Structure formats: C-alpha cells, structure tokens
Amino acid sequence: MVTQILDNPECNFKWFDISNPKKEDFVDLAKEYNLSEASIKDCLEVGHLPKIEEFDTYHFLILRSIPVDFHENSDTMTEITERISIFYDEEFVITVHRNRIEYLENLKSLNKDHKRLQSSKSLINSIVSESLRSFETLLTNNLAPKLDDYEEQLFLHRKRKPFLRKLYYLKRQIDLIRIILTHYKDIVDYFHMPEYKNIYTQDLRDLYTRTNTLYRNLAENTSQLLSVYFNIESNHTNEIMRTLTIISVFFMPLTFIVGVYGMNFEHMPELEWYYGYPAILVLMLVLSGMIYYWFKKKGWL
C-alpha cells in the first residue's frame, strides 16, 4: 500500500511510504522516477543484507534494524532484524517495508518543519542513524544484561544445562548482527564522502564505530564465557573421575585379598586357622590406612 507522507509544497521533497509491498505498488512511481527493475525486485525479495547502490537518477539503499521485540530463541537474520528499502534523491524518498517499523513511524509523526525533514538527505541520515541505534539499544537493554546473568549462572549455580542453550542463541544473535554491521560500513563510508559529509554524517560514523566496538567486545566476552563453561565442565568431569579412581584404588587390594581366599581350594592352610578371619580384616584395615596416608601425602585428598 502506497502512502504519501510529504509533498513538495510542504517540504523540499516528496516522501512515499510503501508497506506490505506488491509489484503493482511501484508501477506509477517507477515511471515517474525511472526506478530500475532490479531495485524493485530487491525490494520484494527477502533476506538481503544492508547495501547502497548508486544509479543515474537515484540511490538505492537497504537497511536492517532490530524490531521492538523478537523471540529469545531466534537465530536467523529475518527473525532478529527487520528490513527497510529506500529509493531516494534530492527530490524524493520512497521507503519500502513489510512490517510496522517503530522508528519510521516516529519520523512520520514529526512536524513538517522539523529539521529531520528539511531535506531528503536529512531524512535518510535520520533513518540510517535510527536503524543503527536499534542495535545499540538491543545491546544495552537486552544482550549485555543477559550475558551478565549467564556469567552469574556459570560461576554461582550448579545447574548449567539451560544456560548453555540460551548462550548458544545469544552467540548466534551476536554473530548475525556483526555480519549486518559489517555491511553497514559501506553505507556509513558512502555518506562520509566529501560531497555528503556534514555534522550529521560525522555523528553517524561515531554511532557506527561505537556500536561495532560494543558488539565486538560482546562477541569476545561470549566466546570467553563459552570457553570458561567448557573448562569448568571438563574440570568437574576430571574431579568425578579422580574420585572414582581413588575409590577403586582403595578397593583394589581388598578385592584381591577377598578373591584369593574366596577360591576355596582344599589345601589352603589359612582356611583352618582360628584367627584367620580377624587377621584378614586387620590386614585390610592396615592396607586401607596405608593407601589413605599415601594419597594424603601426595595431596590427592
């Protein structure tokens, strides 16, 4: 569905917004602004990463941002991000999206004389900034607190199985976002070219650099937490194996003695000995004491 948000008499450019796009929505706009068939096809397809393309009469931009809410176990790009495609030039802006995008709705509701709507470049810069800011908001309000909670579970709690599954999805989300941010670099660099550079594009570069750094640090912390988890689990397994080994060493000589005197051969002198049974028990206790002393001396107990 095509909606005109701004018109030339009100501002210096026209702004059209297309939600739930279909091919017929582009018929009139494609003729008026000479839009490429390839760009329109990209709008209708699902799964594109951020990019910017320059044509003779317009620029084409694909952005991805974080929705207001998504499922905790989401681990694909289409699940954890929402896409907006943009055709723009000095005289027009066409935004295309499937779902309701919160920051875009906020921009639509601004007064017509707002500084963000003074030119098409200002609007595009605002949209790119808001899309990048959604990643920073996700990190500070969601991902970072989750990671802190998982660290607490790892070091202070015994039950860790649910934690590992949650940490897997967190790592997947961070890795996907880092891929998306990598593609944002071309867009930010494009707007930072001398012919586009201004105070707003500098803010955009600063925002990108900060967000990219935060996600890189978060990815490193997540990987380190996974390594710590596997080390703890490995040490826990080693502790169990050491305990079982110590128990088996205690019982090995006792089992040997019992096995020897359990063979029931006819000519075994000790079987007829009156003090045989208590003597064997004393021998077992002495052997156990010697093994215990040896382990204690070695520092294994």
Side-chain angles (χ1 to χ4, degrees), residues 177-301:
I177 290 173
R178 290 195 68 196
I179 292 172
I180 293 170
L181 289 176
T182 301
H183 286 77
Y184 259 98
K185 187 177 187 303
D186 293 337
I187 298 172
V188 174
D189 288 344
Y190 184 86
F191 285 116
H192 208 65
M193 292 170 64
E195 55 266 36
Y196 298 105
K197 188 175 180 181
N198 56 41
I199 186 172
Y200 299 111
T201 57
Q202 183 59 49
D203 290 342
L204 180 63
R205 177 178 281 274
D206 294 342
L207 175 61
Y208 171 77
T209 302
R210 183 173 67 249
T211 304
N212 194 42
T213 302
L214 288 172
Y215 271 95
R216 184 172 63 248
N217 293 339
L218 193 66
E220 291 173 359
N221 291 340
T222 306
S223 298
Q224 290 173 2
L225 193 60
L226 274 172
S227 298
V228 170
Y229 169 80
F230 289 124
N231 287 336
I232 290 176
E233 288 298 306
S234 177
N235 290 336
H236 181 60
T237 302
N238 291 338
E239 285 292 326
I240 294 174
M241 293 304 298
R242 189 178 74 166
T243 302
L244 294 175
T245 302
I246 290 173
I247 293 173
S248 65
V249 170
F250 266 104
F251 281 95
M252 212 181 305
L254 307 184
T255 305
F256 173 75
I257 294 172
V258 171
V260 168
Y261 288 103
M263 290 187 291
N264 293 323
F265 285 113
E266 184 177 352
H267 300 291
M268 292 184 70
E270 293 87 351
L271 295 179
E272 302 295 331
W273 188 27
Y274 181 80
Y275 296 104
Y277 177 70
I280 290 297
L281 290 180
V282 170
L283 177 61
M284 290 183 183
L285 288 174
V286 171
L287 279 174
S288 298
M290 291 173 62
I291 293 171
Y292 177 81
Y293 174 76
W294 183 52
F295 280 161
K296 201 73 175 176
K297 188 177 180 181
K298 291 287 186 180
W300 296 346
L301 285 176

Side-chain angles (χ1 to χ4, degrees), residues 91-139:
E91 298 180 355
F92 73 95
V93 172
I94 303 172
T95 52
V96 185
H97 53 94
R98 295 188 180 277
N99 303 317
R100 186 180 187 276
I101 299 178
E102 191 68 27
Y103 66 83
L104 193 61
E105 296 299 321
N106 293 337
L107 290 172
K108 289 180 189 179
S109 63
L110 293 176
N111 292 328
K112 302 298 186 291
D113 58 349
H114 196 280
K115 62 181 181 179
R116 289 189 169 192
L117 304 178
Q118 292 303 301
S119 67
S120 60
K121 289 181 181 179
S122 298
L123 175 59
I124 295 302
N125 188 81
S126 297
I127 294 175
V128 177
S129 297
E130 290 299 325
S131 65
L132 267 175
R133 192 167 283 109
S134 69
F135 292 98
E136 186 179 35
T137 302
L138 174 69
L139 187 147

